[in-house]
Amino acid sequence: MARFEDLDVWRRSSRLCVDIYQGLTACKDFSFKDQITRSCLSIPSNIAEGFERGSDKDSNKFFYYAKGSSGELRTQIYIGIEIGYISKETGISWKNEAEHISKMLSALIKSRSA
């Protein structure tokens, strides 16, 4: 692959980010919305930055950052559901996608560590 845009994990994480931004347009809690959108935006951003790095070791560092942001995002989704900012159905969908992205990142890291 020559471009990060060709990575399925980047495309999926970007799509999830757009869905979250659009799904929270009515949220009046700026702090919550800011935090959750930062964590979701961090995932594809770190994937892109990692892909553009010169070595697999350098790349994997950023892929691990993206994986960490996926865990942060899942935590915020759980809390958003509990406090009523995110519907349960939407939240479970977002959480499942974030989990899948995390698994994809693990596979990407493993493939670049071999």
Side-chain angles (χ1 to χ4, degrees):
M1 272 180 227
R3 305 169 342 126
F4 65 81
E5 293 94 333
D6 297 328
L7 292 171
D8 191 36
V9 68
W10 179 85
R11 288 194 305 267
R12 288 181 76 150
S13 61
S14 294
R15 179 76 253 160
L16 177 60
C17 190
V18 169
D19 290 347
I20 289 172
Y21 265 86
Q22 291 174 339
L24 294 174
T25 55
C27 181
K28 303 268 189 258
D29 184 336
F30 176 77
S31 295
F32 178 81
K33 186 161 56 170
D34 181 58
Q35 189 65 37
I36 196 169
T37 54
R38 282 174 183 263
S39 63
C40 74
L41 186 58
S42 180
I43 300 169
S45 298
N46 277 302
I47 293 168
E49 185 165 356
F51 189 87
E52 295 292 326
R53 293 291 170 149
S55 70
D56 287 340
K57 182 180 177 184
D58 235 8
S59 294
N60 281 347
K61 180 170 65 171
F62 286 89
F63 298 152
Y64 274 116
Y65 294 155
K67 192 168 171 11
S69 293
S70 176
E72 182 182 358
L73 174 61
R74 290 194 317 270
T75 297
Q76 293 158 356
I77 291 168
Y78 285 125
I79 292 168
I81 292 168
E82 289 298 315
I83 61 178
Y85 289 175
I86 302 169
S87 75
K88 189 170 186 175
E89 181 181 337
T90 298
I92 289 171
S93 173
W94 289 350
K95 191 254 332 158
N96 289 344
E97 184 64 4
E99 272 183 321
H100 188 76
I101 288 165
S102 185
K103 289 176 185 174
M104 293 174 79
L105 284 163
S106 290
L108 180 60
I109 291 164
K110 186 176 179 180
S111 75
R112 290 193 170 226
S113 297

